[in-house]
C-alpha cells in the first residue's frame, strides 16, 4: 500500500498536541491525588517477592521513544488519526480513574546509583506513586504494540518487537512503579481504545442502531445480568476473584453488541479473524463460545453434504477447513481458519440473518461452487448456516419453497434448528420479485 502524502507533518502536529497534554494531565492528577487523604492501595501478598531489576528502567523509559516513532508508521491519514485518538482515549480513561479511584504504590525503593539510579531520579522528578490502576504505561504500550506489530513483516524483526514490548510490560513491575492490578486493568484499557478506534473499517458507534428485535434485547439482558453477577462476585470476594471482572467486561460488551452494535461489534474481518482488541476484550466469552460449539457438536463433528458439493457444519479447525475449496462463514463471534475462497457474513448467534444477508449468502455459495466443494458454517452448523443453505436452495431454484428447502437440509443434517424468525426470513426471500 502506498503511503499517503503529508503524514509526517500530520504526525508531528499530533505529537505537539498529545505531548503537552500528557504531561499536563498526568502531572495535575498526580498533584491532586497527593493532596488527598483517602488514597488506598491494592496489593497481593505474593508481590512482596517481586524483584527490583534496576536495568529494566531502560525498557521502561523506551516507551517514550516508541511513542514518537509510532507516528512514523501509519500509511493513511485515517490510520494516523485513529492511532492518535486511541492514545488520547487511553490518557483520558486512565487519568479519570486516577482521580475517581486513586491508588498508591506502597513499596519503598532503595537508593540506586549509577546510570540506572540517575534514570530513576529523573523519573521521580515528575512521577509520583499515585497514578496506578489502570496503568497508563501499559495502556499506551498496548496501542503502540499493535501499531508496530501491524507494520513489521520481517519475522526476525517481529520477534524483536514482541520481545521488547513484552519487556516493557514486565518493567512496570520490576522497576517497582506499579502493583500487579495495574497491569491487567491497563491492558484492558488499551484494548478498549484500540477497539474504539480500529485502524480500518467503520468505528463501532458508526454502525450502532438500537435493536428492534425483542429477542436481541432479551439476550442483551441475559448477558448484562451475567456480567453484573460476575462483577459482584469479583468485588465481593476480592483477591484472585477480581479476575472475574474480565469475563464480566466480556459479557457486557456482548450485551452491547446485541442491543446496539450488532455483529460488527465483534470486529470480525474479511479474512475471518477477529481484531486483536476484540480477542483481548472478549477472550473469556470467545473461549466459552468455542467450548460450547464443540460440546454441542461432539456427537456429529463432521459437516454434512446437503447437495451438489455444498456442506453444512460447525466452524472448522484448520485441518477440517483444508478439505474444502470455499467457505461461507455466517458466525460473528468465532474466528475462522484461513482459506483462499472465503466469505464472512457475520450474524449474531440465535438471531435470524436478515433477507439481504441471506440473499448475499445464497449468491456467494453458488459462486464459490465453481472452485469445488463449499462449507457453509456457523458456530454449531445448525441455525444461521442452515438458514443460509436454505436461502441458496431457494435462490438457485433447487427447491420450490422454504418448506422443501428445510426438508432437504433436515434430511442431510437432522439436528438443524430454524425458528419462526428464520422461516419468516426465508419466506420473504421466497416471495422476492
Amino acid at each position: 500500500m502506498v503511503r499517503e502524502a503529508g503524514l509526517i507533518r500530520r504526525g508531528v502536529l499530533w505529537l505537539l498536541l498529545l505531548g503537552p497534554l500528557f504531561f499536563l494531565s498526568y502531572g495535575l492528577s498526580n498533584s491532586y491525588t497527593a493532596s488527598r487523604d483517602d488514597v488506598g492501595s491494592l496489593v497481593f501478598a505474593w508481590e512482596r517477592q517481586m524483584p527490583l531489576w534496576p536495568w529494566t528502567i531502560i525498557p521502561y523509559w523506551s516507551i517514550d521513544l516508541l511513542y514518537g516513532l509510532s507516528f512514523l508508521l501509519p500509511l493513511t491519514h485515517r490510520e494516523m488519526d485513529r492511532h492518535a485518538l486511541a492514545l488520547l482515549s487511553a490518557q483520558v480513561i486512565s487519568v479519570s480513574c486516577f482521580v475517581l479511584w486513586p491508588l498508591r504504590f506502597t513499596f519503598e525503593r532503595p537508593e540506586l546509583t549509577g546510570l540506572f539510579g540517575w534514570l530513576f531520579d529523573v523519573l521521580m522528578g515528575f512521577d509520583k506513586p499515585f497514578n496506578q490502576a489502570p496503568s497508563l504505561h501499559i495502556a499506551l504500550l498496548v496501542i503502540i504494540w499493535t501499531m508496530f506489530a501491524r507494520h513489521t513483516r520481517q519475522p526476525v524483526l517481529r520477534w524483536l518487537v514482541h520481545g521488547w514490548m513484552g519487556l516493557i510490560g514486565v518493567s512496570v513491575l520490576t522497576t517497582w512503579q506499579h502493583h500487579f492490578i495495574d497491569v491487567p486493568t491497563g491492558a484492558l484499557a488499551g484494548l478498549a481504545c484500540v477497539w474504539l478506534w480500529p485502524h480500518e473499517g467503520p468505528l463501532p458507534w458508526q454502525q450502532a442502531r438500537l435493536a428492534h428485535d425483542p429477542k436481541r434485547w432479551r439476550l442483551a439482558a441475559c448477558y448484562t445480568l451475567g456480567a453484573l453477577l460476575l462483577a459482584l462476585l469479583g468485588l465481593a470476594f476480592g483477591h484472585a476473584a477480581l479476575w472475574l471482572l474480565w469475563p464480566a467486561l466480556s459479557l457486557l460488551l456482548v450485551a452491547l453488541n446485541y442491543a446496539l452494535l450488532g455483529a460488527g461489534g465483534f470486529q470480525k474481518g474479511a479474512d475471518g479473524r477477529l481484531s486483536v482488541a476484540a480477542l483481548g476484550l472478549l477472550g473469556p466469552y470467545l473461549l466459552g463460545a468455542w467450548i460450547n460449539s464443540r460440546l454441542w457438536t461432539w456427537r456429529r463433528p463432521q459437516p454434512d453434504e446437503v447437495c451438489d458439493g455444498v456442506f453444512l457444519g460447525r466452524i472448522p479447525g484448520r485441518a477440517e477447513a483444508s478439505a474444502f475449496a470455499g467457505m461461507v462463514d455466517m458466525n460473528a463471534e468465532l474466528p475462522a481458519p484461513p482459506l483462499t475462497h472465503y466469505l464472512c457474513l457475520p450474524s449474531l448467534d440465535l438471531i435470524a440473518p436478515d433477507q439481504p444477508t441471506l440473499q448475499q449468502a445464497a449468491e456467494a455459495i453458488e459462486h464459490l461452487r465453481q472452485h469445488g466443494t463449499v462449507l457453509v458454517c456457523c458456530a454449531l452448523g445448525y441455525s444461521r448456516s442452515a438458514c443460509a443453505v436454505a436461502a441458496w436452495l431457494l435462490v438457485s431454484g433447487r427447491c420450490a419453497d422454504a418448506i422443501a428447502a428445510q426438508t432437504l437440509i433436515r434430511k442431510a443434517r437432522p439436528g438443524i434448528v430454524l425458528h419462526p424468525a428464520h422461516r419468516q426470513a426465508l419466506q420473504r426471500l421466497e416471495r422476492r420479485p
Side-chain angles (χ1 to χ4, degrees), residues 1-5 7 72-80 147 151:
M1 184 176 180
V2 179
R3 185 184 299 272
E4 293 180 0
L7 286 175
L72 300 177
L73 300 178
L75 300 178
T76 66
H77 289 84
R78 179 172 64 179
E79 185 182 13
M80 175 74 76
M147 173 62 76
H151 290 283

Side-chain angles (χ1 to χ4, degrees), residues 116-134:
F116 302 144
W118 176 76
L119 289 173
F120 273 103
D121 290 341
V122 174
L123 180 63
M124 292 301 102
F126 69 89
D127 196 12
K128 306 299 179 185
F130 299 105
N131 295 340
Q132 296 297 300

Side-chain angles (χ1 to χ4, degrees), residues 32-41 102-105 129-130:
Y32 170 71
T33 306
S35 66
R36 297 172 60 171
D37 55 7
D38 61 343
V39 180
S41 61
L103 291 173
R104 179 188 177 95
F105 186 79
F130 299 105

Side-chain angles (χ1 to χ4, degrees), residues 238-430:
H239 301 289
L242 287 172
W243 279 109
L244 292 175
L245 296 178
W246 183 20
L249 176 63
S250 178
L251 293 184
L252 187 61
L253 183 53
V254 175
L256 188 64
N257 289 342
Y258 275 93
L260 188 63
L261 301 177
F266 288 98
Q267 295 189 348
K268 187 169 182 176
D271 58 357
R273 294 185 295 182
L274 275 67
S275 71
V276 172
L279 286 172
L281 293 173
L282 293 167
Y285 166 79
L286 297 176
L287 178 60
W290 184 86
I291 293 173
N292 179 69
S293 76
R294 269 42 194 170
L295 289 177
W296 276 98
T297 58
W298 74 276
R299 291 183 181 273
R300 199 182 186 100
Q302 76 283 354
D304 298 296
E305 184 175 11
V306 177
C307 71
D308 296 340
V310 173
F311 287 73
L312 176 60
R314 70 185 186 184
I315 190 77
R318 188 180 296 265
E320 297 170 299
S322 63
F324 297 93
M327 186 194 306
V328 176
D329 180 6
M330 300 297 294
N331 98 92
E333 68 276 12
L334 293 175
L339 205 62
T340 302
H341 302 293
Y342 170 84
L343 178 66
C344 182
L345 297 171
S347 303
L348 293 171
D349 188 23
L350 302 176
I351 302 298
D354 57 25
Q355 183 181 336
T357 300
L358 291 176
Q359 179 74 36
Q360 190 176 356
E363 295 171 355
I365 294 169
E366 187 63 25
H367 172 71
L368 291 179
R369 285 184 61 250
Q370 301 173 15
H371 303 285
T373 55
V374 177
L375 173 64
V376 185
C377 63
C378 57
L380 305 181
Y382 289 124
S383 189
R384 289 169 286 180
S385 52
C387 197
V389 172
W392 166 69
L393 292 172
L394 287 172
V395 171
S396 66
R398 288 174 171 80
C399 287
D401 54 42
I403 295 176
Q406 293 176 63
T407 301
L408 179 59
I409 297 171
R410 188 164 277 113
K411 183 179 179 180
R413 194 169 176 84
I416 68 164
V417 179
L418 294 180
H419 295 294
H422 296 94
R423 293 194 291 269
Q424 290 170 11
L426 290 172
Q427 288 166 0
R428 285 192 294 269
L429 195 65
E430 179 185 337

